[in-house]
Amino acid sequence: MLTSPALAMNDLFPACGDSKMRGLMMDRPLLISSLLSHAANVFRDQEIVSRTVEGVIHRYRYAEAERRAKQVANALRGLGLGEGDRVGTIAWNGHRHFELYFGVSGVGGVCHTMNPRLHHRELAYIINHAKDRFLFVDTTFLPLVRAIAHRLKSVQHIVVLCDRANLPDTPLNNVLTYEELVLSHSDQLEWPEFDDRTASSLCYTSGTTGKPKGVLYSHRSTVIHSYAIALPDALDLGIATSILPVVPMFHANAWGLPYAAALTGAKLVFPGPALDGKSLTELMNGEGVTVAAGVPTVWLGLLNHWREHETKVASLERVVVGGSAPPRSMIQAFEEEFGIDFRHAWGMTEMSPLGTVNVLTPSQQGAPGGERYDLKCKQGRPVYGVELEIFDEQGRPLPHDGKTFGEVRVRGPWISSRYFRQRRSKSHDGDGWFATGDIATLDPSGMMQITDRKKDLVKSGGEWISSIELENLAAGHPDVAQAAVIGIPHEKWTERPLLVVQAKKGRSPTKDDLLAFLKGKVPDWWLPDDVIFEAELPLGGTGKVQKAKLREKYDDRYAAAR
Amino acid sequence: MLTSPALAMNDLFPACGDSKMRGLMMDRPLLISSLLSHAANVFRDQEIVSRTVEGVIHRYRYAEAERRAKQVANALRGLGLGEGDRVGTIAWNGHRHFELYFGVSGVGGVCHTMNPRLHHRELAYIINHAKDRFLFVDTTFLPLVRAIAHRLKSVQHIVVLCDRANLPDTPLNNVLTYEELVLSHSDQLEWPEFDDRTASSLCYTSGTTGKPKGVLYSHRSTVIHSYAIALPDALDLGIATSILPVVPMFHANAWGLPYAAALTGAKLVFPGPALDGKSLTELMNGEGVTVAAGVPTVWLGLLNHWREHETKVASLERVVVGGSAPPRSMIQAFEEEFGIDFRHAWGMTEMSPLGTVNVLTPSQQGAPGGERYDLKCKQGRPVYGVELEIFDEQGRPLPHDGKTFGEVRVRGPWISSRYFRQRRSKSHDGDGWFATGDIATLDPSGMMQITDRKKDLVKSGGEWISSIELENLAAGHPDVAQAAVIGIPHEKWTERPLLVVQAKKGRSPTKDDLLAFLKGKVPDWWLPDDVIFEAELPLGGTGKVQKAKLREKYDDRYAAAR
């Protein structure tokens, strides 16, 4: 017999959009403020340590960080911050920048972090495009702001991240100091609650072409991403972790680490402007850093310092490396020379940024050295929250055989759906997927390996030819010093590959030599239609061949065939 | 100069409910099906191992589990499963139950897991109250279903979790076998997408009073909870984990482990019905189990087996223990005798279930033995996602001083907002908080310690007196074998404490002896108004004093004072 009280079902099941039955769980929003509140309540004595611009070490705890975040939130409200207003920051990694992450978004503002290394013109464009009403800047960058001030259309307040005593002379008007602003406002504030899809932070990505494009994160995306990056097979953060984000806070929110540290109660160590091997080593030793995260160049500096001074950091268990592919020798150095776990990760600003992390399975871990490092060079497996597939040019999904390559497309709750104030975007048109522009293989164990950038592929007869694979093969010829493969417009095939070679000194290989060398190693239709010899290939600042220059130079090479 | 294209802002910022600016992140729903799809794509060769009811070991991989989950989903749709329809399960922990978790909710159904140890009457009540249209049962429980079949009002299909060869004789009509159902349906299915607040699973909690109450989980709550329990300081799950959920899948979804295992790619090991020390030890050794989760009684059986046979499980790194407070001696045994990390956790069905986990900070970890185990006996810190506070009877938050106790209230995205088809609930009336009925202290390091159930507190003059604290003190008197403190109705003070004592054999303490012994150890107004001596205190099945019986017997004790 059914003995339940006679209730109208409609009263108890508020309809979802499509009239499905709702669960009866609290519909609590995932707000960034709740990360810091959690830390302040549950890990209130955990430390946040910062090397300041002035060079001294600043040290306080999560509970105080939250009080000051509330003070800066009250100050911003006092200065007229409205919901959705953008607050620009040009700053190093430090405790004040950390407070802004939470203080700004906590009351519905958008924390817009900026890369101070951009050209003045670009920086001014970004500030104006974002319509930043506030700028918070480290003293280091005050001259920079001075230099672009005449171009800025929306900025009403400039706040320098220091106290009055450390404020440099500046001809700028109406400059406030952060400490005065914070100290003159109450720390009494109940963080407001609102829809967790509300915008929280903004970061521009400067592609190789076109204007910088803004990625606008939400509270929901940020909090879910924080859970994911803290997982054991991602950054593995907990109460015993002491984490050093070397990756800048203006670079995809320091990969989300300030948020994830609050979520897990990890100790946070901010390096400020001192990113050289010696300074980092000192800071890590002083603060018992167990995990550090950054781009390969930083780790190169660190390795060089350690070798030169026959030292290391005893507490350091793990480095997490992303931003660009680390050389195999670096992975080996950390693991074999220094006994430090090396986690290779991949992502991009449009992905909050985490996409994949390379953690080997127990059986892969036991593979022989060479094979093991082949695996460690891959970009890894997607973390849950990122759906990742490879597609051919017709948009068909490709097999996960470790050989077939295609463009990586991703989707998930922390992936960009559109650029800020930009109606069209080729990357976002793919039927709900974001097209990364990276070309990769996926192997049966779920591991991704990036093989190319899409713009470097040669599109021939509706199929792709990997420029990198051809280059690597050509570079294996005993007479070749360096090789580049570019796609040249072709009437019949759209593009056909052209091999450009710099021969080793004293050697003079011929076109036929090289084509014969390649033949059989790749499908016949991959073979370059022509080979050109250059005395020296044009190199960019990072040592990479500037393919754009070669493309420009040889654009007409196959014109006869058109 | 502002050079951005002139776009209407409204086009680019779909309004949130309250007109705030939305982030530009994909609004992907957090669906349970995506957990299994992730595992099938990214960890496709990871194993799921089950000891079946028939006693043999079944072994397959995530990719196959997803295919079969799709088959059962197609089968359910074929049998007329509608969105929101409840599908009951009465089953052990095993691979078919796992498939139902995903197959049912994946197509919008609600997986309603049931405890087979309930009384027939209660079980029938629950099935009728939930209006289950389907019942999936292990062969073990077919007689049980037979016994209650005449009471069931809504069940249309009974499916037995076996193949035709293993189907026992049963007088029930229209019984299907799971294997025939699965094998006769296609594995072609694109998991549908829908609002992630849709109901996904249902579990009834049988309180000590009143009818069982249904907790209705959603996809959103389940997925966020899965992230949280996989964190390093929760269950710490990853690709190298082999996890054995001893906690039943009918008990708050086995604490969410089947979901979290899929999220992280952990190997899953299901024990089926064999939960004794010997069977568990064999299974753990055979499958290299690294983490096991269950209630204290299970671990007692395991410890006894290990001691008796001078054995252990070499691969086992960690046991996670919840459901009721483990004795200090058990924590010590695992850590000192067997070198296994012991994680004490707390939660309840209404909390999905995880609330707190006890992981010591590095400095707490280094505390001297006695102090360290005092800390390990606490219930731990809330994981991010659970806001947890203690309140006095007037609803005022209390200090986190490790001494002041109050009722634990919680809120968060995986906390129950209401019971299923029940309009009123005292536990849910607290201004957005769920009142757990547990009484606890919170210490400055964020650790919670449960001290009482609210119903056992003595409410005197608007303040609470801890029955457990008085009992523990009284039990310290040399003449006392066992002591219980209950609240007795009192006209002036609402309730006043009564101490009921069972003296040690041959001893005869007096009322004055005991009151003098307590005096000075607690505030004077805590002192019991009277002391009663009983030859033997009434004990329940688990060895606890049955306070309800004492309350009934002595209800009028202070009537004179009324």
Side-chain angles (χ1 to χ4, degrees):
Chain A
M1 203 185 66
L2 210 150
T3 55
S4 62
L7 290 173
M9 292 291 276
N10 286 346
D11 290 345
L12 292 182
F13 308 128
C16 292
D18 44 2
S19 87
K20 286 198 177 57
M21 187 173 71
R22 265 201 188 188
L24 293 169
M25 293 279 120
M26 293 182 187
D27 200 6
R28 302 283 305 162
L30 303 174
L31 297 179
I32 287 173
S33 56
S34 72
L35 293 166
L36 188 55
S37 288
H38 179 72
N41 272 319
V42 173
F43 312 113
R44 68 183 193 190
D45 289 337
Q46 183 64 286
E47 283 185 318
I48 300 172
V49 178
S50 310
R51 192 193 290 272
T52 63
V53 175
E54 293 80 29
V56 299
I57 297 290
H58 176 273
R59 186 182 296 280
Y60 68 168
R61 297 166 194 276
Y62 274 109
E64 194 183 344
E66 191 192 25
R67 281 196 298 276
R68 283 171 52 93
K70 288 182 170 183
Q71 285 175 299
V72 77
N74 281 329
L76 283 164
R77 281 180 160 183
L79 290 170
L81 179 82
E83 286 165 0
D85 280 353
R86 271 75 73 199
V87 175
T89 69
I90 310 179
W92 302 109
N93 290 9
H95 67 287
R96 295 182 183 112
H97 208 171
F98 179 81
E99 293 158 12
L100 285 167
Y101 266 39
F102 294 89
V104 171
S105 63
V107 291
V110 174
C111 185
H112 171 208
T113 55
M114 276 171 280
N115 185 345
R117 293 181 199 122
L118 292 177
H119 287 292
H120 289 188
R121 204 180 52 244
E122 273 187 307
L123 207 53
Y125 167 80
I126 286 174
I127 294 170
N128 288 329
H129 185 266
K131 299 189 176 169
D132 291 334
R133 290 187 57 200
F134 300 82
L135 274 189
F136 285 76
V137 295
D138 266 326
T139 53
T140 321
F141 307 116
L142 209 45
L144 175 63
V145 173
R146 167 80 182 88
I148 62 173
H150 65 287
R151 304 184 195 231
L152 305 182
K153 303 293 180 202
S154 55
V155 174
Q156 294 165 329
H157 302 280
I158 294 172
V159 184
V160 186
L161 296 169
C162 62
D163 54 20
R164 180 58 57 176
N166 284 297
L167 182 67
D169 274 342
T170 172
L172 286 165
N173 293 324
N174 291 322
V175 161
L176 306 168
T177 74
Y178 185 82
E179 289 302 319
E180 287 172 302
L181 200 63
V182 163
L183 296 177
S184 62
H185 285 83
S186 160
D187 62 4
Q188 293 303 302
L189 173 68
E190 192 152 335
W191 295 114
E193 288 187 9
F194 42 79
D195 189 313
D196 59 16
R197 291 162 301 176
T198 301
S200 60
S201 66
L202 176 63
C203 186
Y204 281 74
T205 171
S206 43
T208 42
T209 55
K211 299 229 174 265
K213 289 164 289 193
V215 178
L216 189 65
Y217 306 105
S218 72
H219 288 259
R220 179 179 189 261
S221 72
T222 302
V223 169
I224 300 175
H225 181 261
S226 304
Y227 271 123
I229 69 170
L231 289 172
D233 285 348
L235 278 92
D236 195 11
L237 305 180
I239 203 171
T241 308
S242 172
I243 183 150
L244 177 82
V246 186
V247 51
M249 291 174 75
F250 54 76
H251 185 165
N253 294 322
W255 299 350
L257 288 172
Y259 304 118
L263 188 152
T264 56
K267 175 177 174 178
L268 259 173
V269 183
F270 288 122
L275 305 180
D276 58 288
K278 178 167 177 289
S279 303
L280 289 178
T281 301
E282 274 173 15
L283 188 63
M284 287 197 239
N285 277 322
E287 303 304 329
V289 166
T290 59
V291 183
V295 297
T297 32
V298 163
W299 306 126
L300 213 56
L302 195 74
L303 285 177
N304 288 339
H305 178 80
W306 288 359
R307 284 167 178 153
E308 203 174 318
H309 296 84
E310 293 182 6
T311 183
K312 60 174 275 190
V313 174
S315 59
L316 192 61
E317 297 165 8
R318 189 161 56 257
V319 291
V320 182
V321 182
S324 64
R328 186 188 179 98
S329 59
M330 178 182 291
I331 304 178
Q332 276 182 303
F334 271 102
E335 299 221 329
E336 291 177 8
E337 209 174 320
F338 297 102
I340 291 168
D341 182 26
F342 190 97
R343 290 210 180 162
H344 181 189
W346 168 87
M348 46 184 65
T349 303
E350 289 89 338
M351 298 173 67
S352 294
L354 191 66
T356 63
V357 186
N358 187 320
V359 171
L360 301 185
T361 64
S363 71
Q364 289 174 330
Q365 194 67 35
E371 202 181 305
R372 200 170 152 274
Y373 285 111
D374 287 348
L375 287 165
K376 295 281 283 187
C377 283
K378 298 191 175 198
Q379 274 70 19
R381 291 179 186 81
V383 291
Y384 172 73
V386 175
E387 282 178 85
L388 187 152
E389 275 301 339
I390 50 174
F391 294 90
D392 69 11
E393 206 162 25
Q394 283 71 45
R396 289 172 300 214
L398 295 169
H400 299 189
D401 57 13
K403 290 171 202 160
T404 310
F405 59 86
E407 187 179 19
V408 179
R409 297 187 193 170
V410 289
R411 61 180 184 184
W414 64 73
I415 312 287
S416 155
S417 62
R418 219 185 304 172
Y419 291 117
F420 185 54
R421 302 184 64 222
Q422 184 179 311
R423 194 181 295 272
R424 292 184 184 285
S425 153
K426 269 194 191 171
S427 309
H428 292 99
D429 289 347
D431 202 20
W433 294 81
F434 172 77
T436 64
D438 275 338
I439 302 295
T441 60
L442 282 169
D443 76 19
S445 86
M447 294 274 245
M448 179 183 79
Q449 182 156 33
I450 303 285
T451 58
D452 240 324
R453 282 293 293 171
K454 189 177 178 184
K455 62 180 173 51
D456 292 334
L457 287 178
V458 182
K459 286 103 189 161
S460 173
E463 302 282 345
W464 283 330
I465 297 171
S466 168
S467 63
I468 292 192
E469 197 167 336
L470 283 173
E471 286 163 8
N472 289 343
L473 285 170
H477 189 283
D479 296 343
V480 172
Q482 193 149 26
V485 169
I486 52 176
I488 299 296
H490 188 285
E491 192 177 25
K492 183 171 175 194
W493 301 108
T494 312
E495 284 183 355
R496 286 297 300 157
L498 174 70
L499 173 60
V500 189
V501 165
Q502 175 182 332
K504 283 188 183 158
K505 277 196 177 151
R507 307 289 178 94
S508 38
T510 66
K511 172 180 170 179
D512 288 346
D513 288 346
L514 287 165
L515 292 180
F517 182 76
L518 293 175
K519 198 169 164 67
K521 299 193 175 79
V522 292
D524 273 0
W525 61 274
W526 279 38
L527 291 175
D529 287 17
D530 203 357
V531 182
I532 283 179
F533 296 90
E534 288 263 341
E536 210 162 332
L537 293 183
L539 298 185
T542 59
K544 281 187 190 166
V545 176
Q546 292 180 300
K547 292 195 179 181
K549 285 206 173 164
L550 292 177
R551 274 193 210 99
E552 210 174 299
K553 186 168 177 185
Y554 295 109
D555 190 55
D556 283 342
R557 187 73 186 181
Y558 299 151
R562 279 189 233 178
Chain B
M1 204 185 64
L2 210 151
T3 56
S4 62
L7 289 173
M9 293 290 276
N10 286 346
D11 289 346
L12 291 183
F13 307 127
C16 292
D18 42 4
S19 88
K20 287 197 174 57
M21 186 172 72
R22 267 202 187 187
L24 293 169
M25 294 279 118
M26 293 182 188
D27 199 8
R28 302 283 305 161
L30 304 174
L31 297 180
I32 286 173
S33 57
S34 72
L35 294 165
L36 187 55
S37 288
H38 179 71
N41 271 320
V42 174
F43 313 113
R44 69 184 190 189
D45 287 337
Q46 183 64 284
E47 284 185 317
I48 300 172
V49 178
S50 310
R51 191 194 290 272
T52 64
V53 174
E54 293 80 28
V56 300
I57 298 290
H58 176 274
R59 186 182 299 278
Y60 69 168
R61 296 166 195 275
Y62 275 108
E64 194 184 343
E66 191 192 24
R67 281 196 297 276
R68 285 172 50 94
K70 287 182 170 182
Q71 286 174 298
V72 78
N74 281 329
L76 283 164
R77 281 179 159 182
L79 290 170
L81 179 83
E83 286 165 0
D85 281 353
R86 271 76 71 201
V87 175
T89 69
I90 311 179
W92 302 109
N93 290 9
H95 67 286
R96 295 184 182 111
H97 208 172
F98 178 82
E99 292 159 12
L100 285 166
Y101 266 39
F102 294 90
V104 172
S105 62
V107 290
V110 175
C111 185
H112 171 207
T113 56
M114 277 172 278
N115 185 345
R117 292 180 200 123
L118 292 176
H119 287 291
H120 289 188
R121 207 180 50 244
E122 273 187 308
L123 207 52
Y125 166 80
I126 286 174
I127 294 170
N128 289 329
H129 186 267
K131 298 188 178 170
D132 290 335
R133 290 186 57 200
F134 299 82
L135 274 190
F136 284 76
V137 296
D138 265 327
T139 53
T140 322
F141 306 117
L142 209 45
L144 174 62
V145 173
R146 166 81 182 86
I148 61 173
H150 65 288
R151 304 182 193 233
L152 306 181
K153 304 294 179 199
S154 55
V155 174
Q156 295 165 330
H157 301 281
I158 294 173
V159 184
V160 187
L161 296 169
C162 62
D163 54 19
R164 178 60 55 177
N166 283 294
L167 182 67
D169 274 342
T170 171
L172 287 165
N173 294 324
N174 291 322
V175 162
L176 306 167
T177 74
Y178 185 83
E179 289 302 319
E180 286 172 304
L181 200 63
V182 163
L183 296 178
S184 62
H185 285 85
S186 160
D187 62 4
Q188 293 303 302
L189 173 69
E190 193 153 334
W191 295 115
E193 288 188 8
F194 42 78
D195 189 312
D196 59 17
R197 291 163 302 175
T198 301
S200 60
S201 66
L202 176 63
C203 187
Y204 280 74
T205 170
S206 44
T208 43
T209 55
K211 299 226 174 271
K213 290 164 289 194
V215 178
L216 189 66
Y217 307 104
S218 72
H219 288 259
R220 179 179 190 261
S221 72
T222 302
V223 169
I224 300 175
H225 181 262
S226 304
Y227 272 123
I229 70 171
L231 289 171
D233 285 349
L235 277 92
D236 195 11
L237 305 180
I239 204 171
T241 307
S242 171
I243 183 152
L244 177 82
V246 186
V247 52
M249 290 174 77
F250 54 76
H251 186 165
N253 293 323
W255 300 349
L257 288 171
Y259 304 118
L263 188 152
T264 57
K267 174 177 175 178
L268 258 174
V269 183
F270 288 122
L275 305 179
D276 58 289
K278 177 168 178 289
S279 304
L280 289 177
T281 301
E282 275 174 14
L283 189 62
M284 287 197 239
N285 276 324
E287 303 302 330
V289 166
T290 59
V291 183
V295 297
T297 31
V298 164
W299 305 125
L300 212 57
L302 196 74
L303 285 178
N304 288 339
H305 178 80
W306 288 359
R307 284 168 178 154
E308 204 175 317
H309 296 82
E310 293 182 6
T311 183
K312 61 174 276 191
V313 174
S315 59
L316 192 62
E317 296 166 8
R318 188 161 57 258
V319 291
V320 182
V321 182
S324 63
R328 186 188 179 100
S329 59
M330 178 182 290
I331 304 178
Q332 277 181 303
F334 271 102
E335 300 222 327
E336 291 177 7
E337 209 173 321
F338 297 102
I340 291 168
D341 182 25
F342 189 98
R343 290 210 178 161
H344 181 187
W346 167 88
M348 46 184 66
T349 303
E350 288 90 339
M351 299 172 67
S352 295
L354 191 66
T356 64
V357 187
N358 187 321
V359 171
L360 301 185
T361 64
S363 71
Q364 290 174 329
Q365 195 68 33
E371 202 180 305
R372 198 169 154 276
Y373 285 111
D374 287 348
L375 286 166
K376 295 280 286 188
C377 283
K378 298 191 175 198
Q379 274 70 20
R381 292 179 186 82
V383 291
Y384 173 74
V386 174
E387 282 178 83
L388 187 153
E389 275 300 339
I390 49 175
F391 294 90
D392 68 11
E393 205 161 25
Q394 284 72 44
R396 290 172 300 214
L398 295 169
H400 299 189
D401 57 13
K403 290 172 201 158
T404 309
F405 58 86
E407 187 180 19
V408 179
R409 296 187 195 172
V410 290
R411 61 180 185 185
W414 64 72
I415 312 285
S416 155
S417 63
R418 219 184 305 170
Y419 290 117
F420 184 54
R421 302 184 64 224
Q422 183 179 312
R423 192 181 296 273
R424 293 184 182 285
S425 152
K426 268 195 191 171
S427 309
H428 292 100
D429 289 346
D431 202 21
W433 295 81
F434 173 75
T436 64
D438 275 338
I439 303 295
T441 59
L442 283 169
D443 75 20
S445 85
M447 293 275 244
M448 179 182 79
Q449 182 156 32
I450 303 285
T451 58
D452 241 323
R453 281 293 292 171
K454 190 177 177 185
K455 62 181 172 49
D456 291 333
L457 286 178
V458 182
K459 286 101 188 165
S460 174
E463 302 282 345
W464 282 330
I465 296 171
S466 167
S467 63
I468 291 190
E469 197 166 336
L470 282 173
E471 287 163 8
N472 288 343
L473 286 169
H477 187 282
D479 296 343
V480 171
Q482 192 149 25
V485 170
I486 51 176
I488 299 296
H490 188 285
E491 192 175 28
K492 184 173 175 194
W493 302 107
T494 312
E495 284 184 355
R496 287 296 300 157
L498 173 71
L499 172 61
V500 189
V501 165
Q502 175 181 332
K504 281 188 182 158
K505 274 195 180 156
R507 305 290 177 94
S508 36
T510 65
K511 170 181 172 181
D512 288 346
D513 287 348
L514 287 165
L515 292 181
F517 182 75
L518 294 175
K519 199 168 164 66
K521 298 191 174 81
V522 292
D524 273 359
W525 62 273
W526 279 37
L527 290 175
D529 287 19
D530 203 355
V531 182
I532 283 180
F533 296 92
E534 289 261 342
E536 211 163 331
L537 293 183
L539 299 185
T542 60
K544 282 187 188 167
V545 176
Q546 292 180 301
K547 292 195 179 182
K549 285 206 173 165
L550 292 177
R551 273 192 211 99
E552 210 174 299
K553 186 169 178 184
Y554 295 109
D555 189 56
D556 284 342
R557 188 73 188 182
Y558 299 152
R562 280 188 230 175

